[in-house]
Amino acid sequence: MLLYLIFSIIAVNYLKGALYLCSGDVFNALSPEQEAFLVAPTAWDSLSEIQRSWFANTTCEGFPTDSLTSQYVCGCWQADWGPVMAENFDNVATAMLTFFEISTTEGWADVMMAAIDSNGIGMQPIRDNNMIWSYFFVAFIMIGSFFVVNLFVGVIIDNFNRTKAALGGDYMLTPEQKKWIEAQKAASRVGPVRILKPPRHPVRRAFFFFVKRQRFEWFIMICIITNTLLMATQYFGESSLQIDIVNFLNEIFAAVFTLEAVMKLMAYGWEYFEDQWNQFDFFVVLGTLLSIIVELFTGASVRSLAMLVRVFRVTRILRLVKASRSIRQIMLTLYIALPGLSNITSILFLMLFIYATMGVQLFAKVALGDNIDSHANFQDFGKGFLFLLRAATGEAWNYCMHDLASSAAGCVDDPPYDPTMCGFNDFDGCTPLNGCGNPVSYAFFCSFTLLVTYVMLNLTIAVILEGFSLSHEDEEPLFEPVLLEEFQYKWSDIDPKATGFVKVDKLLLLVNILKPPLGRFGMPFDMVHFFIYTCTSRGLSTATLSLLWSATYHLILLVLD
């Protein structure tokens, strides 16, 4: 606030009353000589006869020479004298509001250019009159926007980290969300490996080993990237030759991807569809072939189908996520941050809901203007909510704020509801909205920008960074990595489809083939031992379990007899 106050005092001292100009239809009809006189008016005694004729039949004939301004001359010619823009530096309050708008980098260049063109109080602006103001506003952008605003954001994130340290790193998460994150982290470290067994048929076996080769996978990845780049070369107005070349190359790539799907189907059989990436590839290939078949038999391209196929072709590049470890890590970060993001998003949407409701109550009847139009207004909750989503990105929020605060001539303060009003019931000949603006919009939009744009959106970034730190958190492992890797591959032997589930009898086999401490390899271990071993972890004594097992065993024998 102190920085804003200092810049505001400087701006008020030099720019108060200077951001105004003569305009309107009368001004547009002036000759170049009259415009030059308006910029630099001179005393009546020094005027030529032609210049004096400009003031004939006006109350300004023989005007005084003291304090002669462009505003006075503009009034003599009955032109419009008004502000260059909604922002001004006429007093400290409006100057601080203007600098707050500038700190969001929204429209700051327009304010700077208006200050550069300023020519003094009551004088018509002159293009590039005082370039020194460019340094003033650039200095404010550097200090007030880049430094102070980011310092404000840094304080928010620092307080977030302090609270996290005081209450625990996962204080924003519910117990269920904490368990979910731990499960995902564990799954990312050690997960079941899907093992595909080579088929016995010699042809299918040859295809199996061919598609499993690393070079084949890299060849397909290169084709995917090249096909995506090729589609990116298309543009509106391209020549027919380029269209033919691109279509020909796309057909070649379609043949390559179709051949890949056929080869994998031959190699894997029905197990091909157990992999989600294979399902996605098959769906894209099927759509591509369908569009080609339709075009061949009908002689025309089905536009909607062709566009849909192109979209899915582009999404094929997502297979790079599977091939790149770094991309997978980024995706894991976003995935782990989902619970925290859901909490922040809930608060964000709650604030948007509150502000949208307030906006409808305050500004629903305000007349439309240059920025408050049929797309951006508060005439109903839906439009208001979407409008605030746009304002949260900083897009023209200050222009809309000034539109909602200004009142047009002949406006009605809080007009009664009329179903024929435009916006509520649009039809030819509807009654235009004529409600007056509400100065509350200044407090409304400034508080919204502070709370939503600066606080909530930056808290969202903090939560994502928190998810990144959680995904890279170096916890002390319970077991050695070698043991975990052994467990992973031993599990895959009894769960080749990587479902993550095995039957109880196979679990006994897993315990028997794993080395301690994960298993009982090399030790006598049967179903009785397994029953006692698993239940003792629940807190039951060995003697109690022996009696329980004996009773269960004899009961089974009795039933079988």
Side-chain angles (χ1 to χ4, degrees), residues 288-535:
T288 304
L289 294 177
L290 181 61
S291 65
I292 294 174
I293 292 172
V294 170
E295 187 172 354
L296 286 176
F297 281 93
T298 62
S301 175
V302 181
R303 181 173 178 81
S304 58
L305 179 61
M307 291 178 63
L308 183 62
V309 170
R310 289 193 189 101
V311 170
F312 280 108
R313 282 182 183 175
V314 173
T315 56
R316 187 186 272 121
I317 201 170
L318 292 175
R319 280 182 58 178
L320 294 177
V321 175
K322 182 180 179 181
S324 174
R325 180 180 177 86
S326 58
I327 297 178
R328 288 202 309 270
Q329 189 63 47
I330 294 174
M331 298 300 293
L332 177 63
T333 297
L334 295 176
Y335 189 55
I336 289 179
L338 283 179
L341 283 176
S342 64
N343 298 334
I344 290 293
T345 304
S346 300
I347 300 174
L348 176 62
F349 273 83
L350 177 62
M351 296 188 69
L352 288 171
F353 176 86
I354 293 172
Y355 271 91
T357 305
M358 292 171 57
V360 171
Q361 297 297 321
L362 294 171
F363 312 115
K365 302 175 184 178
V366 175
L368 302 182
D370 294 333
N371 298 285
I372 299 298
D373 52 24
S374 58
H375 302 290
N377 57 66
F378 288 101
Q379 292 175 1
D380 57 59
F381 177 82
K383 290 182 179 179
F385 193 87
L386 291 176
F387 175 37
L388 289 176
L389 277 177
R390 191 189 83 173
T393 66
E395 177 59 29
W397 71 271
N398 54 334
Y399 300 122
C400 297
M401 174 184 69
H402 289 292
D403 271 10
L404 290 172
S406 61
S407 298
C411 67
V412 178
D413 189 17
D414 193 19
Y417 173 74
D418 184 354
T420 63
M421 283 182 174
C422 300
F424 299 101
N425 190 5
D426 293 326
F427 60 92
D428 292 338
C430 61
T431 305
L433 282 171
N434 61 344
C436 295
N438 193 337
V440 178
S441 68
Y442 294 124
F444 180 88
F445 276 95
C446 288
S447 62
F448 177 82
T449 301
L450 277 174
L451 293 176
V452 176
T453 305
Y454 285 154
V455 177
M456 297 306 303
L457 295 185
N458 285 290
L459 273 180
T460 303
I461 296 174
V463 169
I464 294 176
L465 294 176
E466 174 69 12
F468 186 79
S469 64
L470 285 175
S471 64
H472 288 78
E473 203 171 50
D474 292 325
E475 298 178 351
E476 185 177 353
L478 296 175
F479 304 104
E480 294 293 330
V482 177
L483 292 174
L484 292 177
E485 185 176 354
E486 180 193 11
F487 172 79
Q488 186 180 36
Y489 284 98
K490 294 294 185 183
W491 180 282
S492 300
D493 290 337
I494 60 176
D495 182 24
K497 295 184 179 181
T499 61
F501 298 93
V502 294
K503 294 183 178 180
V504 175
D505 56 341
K506 290 188 176 181
L507 184 61
L508 176 61
L509 174 63
L510 178 66
V511 174
N512 273 319
I513 61 178
L514 285 173
K515 296 179 181 179
L518 294 176
R520 307 278 292 183
F521 179 74
M523 303 179 185
F525 202 66
D526 54 17
M527 185 59 73
V528 178
H529 292 91
F530 177 69
F531 179 78
I532 297 174
Y533 176 74
T534 53
C535 292

Side-chain angles (χ1 to χ4, degrees), residues 16 464 555:
K16 60 182 178 183
I464 294 176
L555 180 61

Side-chain angles (χ1 to χ4, degrees), residues 68-386:
L68 186 59
T69 62
S70 302
Q71 181 179 0
Y72 178 82
V73 176
C74 183
C76 291
W77 290 335
Q78 297 183 351
D80 300 325
W81 182 262
V84 176
M85 55 179 57
E87 296 83 0
N88 62 71
F89 299 97
D90 292 348
N91 54 67
V92 173
T94 57
M96 292 187 70
L97 175 62
T98 300
F99 279 117
F100 176 75
E101 296 176 37
I102 293 174
S103 67
T104 66
T105 67
E106 187 64 26
W108 76 275
D110 296 333
V111 179
M112 179 184 69
M113 295 307 299
I116 291 173
D117 295 344
S118 63
N119 191 27
I121 298 176
M123 299 301 294
Q124 185 76 358
I126 302 175
R127 180 70 179 269
D128 300 335
N129 182 54
N130 197 346
M131 293 299 296
I132 193 67
W133 284 111
S134 62
Y135 300 102
F136 177 80
F137 283 96
V138 169
F140 178 80
I141 285 292
M142 296 294 293
I143 301 173
S145 181
F146 294 162
F147 178 72
V148 174
V149 172
N150 286 289
L151 187 64
F152 176 76
V153 173
V155 169
I156 294 173
I157 296 179
D158 181 64
N159 287 332
F160 174 80
N161 292 329
R162 288 175 182 270
T163 307
K164 180 184 68 175
L167 301 178
D170 48 9
Y171 75 98
M172 295 186 66
L173 304 175
T174 63
E176 291 77 13
Q177 290 174 337
K178 295 176 186 178
K179 293 179 181 178
W180 184 87
I181 288 179
E182 291 301 323
Q184 300 308 314
K185 288 166 62 178
S188 66
R189 288 193 295 265
V190 180
V193 178
R194 185 168 175 265
I195 297 178
L196 295 174
K197 296 181 179 180
R200 296 181 179 179
H201 193 279
V203 177
R204 291 186 58 198
R205 190 179 184 89
F207 277 122
F208 179 87
F209 288 110
F210 182 79
V211 298
K212 293 288 286 184
R213 294 175 64 181
Q214 190 68 27
R215 292 182 180 179
F216 178 78
E217 286 295 326
W218 279 112
F219 171 74
I220 295 299
M221 289 299 170
I222 292 173
C223 288
I224 291 174
I225 295 173
T226 307
N227 188 28
T228 304
L229 294 176
L230 180 67
M231 295 176 67
T233 61
Q234 295 179 290
Y235 60 92
F236 179 72
E238 56 189 340
S239 63
S240 57
L241 177 62
Q242 182 175 349
I243 293 175
D244 293 338
I245 293 174
V246 170
N247 289 337
F248 175 72
L249 293 176
N250 277 331
E251 290 176 0
I252 292 177
F253 283 117
V256 170
F257 297 135
T258 303
L259 184 61
E260 178 205 9
V262 171
M263 292 173 66
K264 287 187 175 181
L265 274 170
M266 291 287 294
Y268 302 148
W270 289 109
E271 292 182 346
Y272 170 83
F273 294 102
E274 294 178 2
D275 187 280
Q276 293 181 349
W277 287 110
N278 290 340
Q279 295 174 13
F280 175 75
D281 285 342
F282 185 80
F283 179 75
V284 174
V285 168
L286 192 63
T288 304
L289 294 177
L290 181 61
S291 65
I292 294 174
I293 292 172
V294 170
E295 187 172 354
L296 286 176
F297 281 93
T298 62
S301 175
V302 181
R303 181 173 178 81
S304 58
L305 179 61
M307 291 178 63
L308 183 62
V309 170
R310 289 193 189 101
V311 170
F312 280 108
R313 282 182 183 175
V314 173
T315 56
R316 187 186 272 121
I317 201 170
L318 292 175
R319 280 182 58 178
L320 294 177
V321 175
K322 182 180 179 181
S324 174
R325 180 180 177 86
S326 58
I327 297 178
R328 288 202 309 270
Q329 189 63 47
I330 294 174
M331 298 300 293
L332 177 63
T333 297
L334 295 176
Y335 189 55
I336 289 179
L338 283 179
L341 283 176
S342 64
N343 298 334
I344 290 293
T345 304
S346 300
I347 300 174
L348 176 62
F349 273 83
L350 177 62
M351 296 188 69
L352 288 171
F353 176 86
I354 293 172
Y355 271 91
T357 305
M358 292 171 57
V360 171
Q361 297 297 321
L362 294 171
F363 312 115
K365 302 175 184 178
V366 175
L368 302 182
D370 294 333
N371 298 285
I372 299 298
D373 52 24
S374 58
H375 302 290
N377 57 66
F378 288 101
Q379 292 175 1
D380 57 59
F381 177 82
K383 290 182 179 179
F385 193 87
L386 291 176

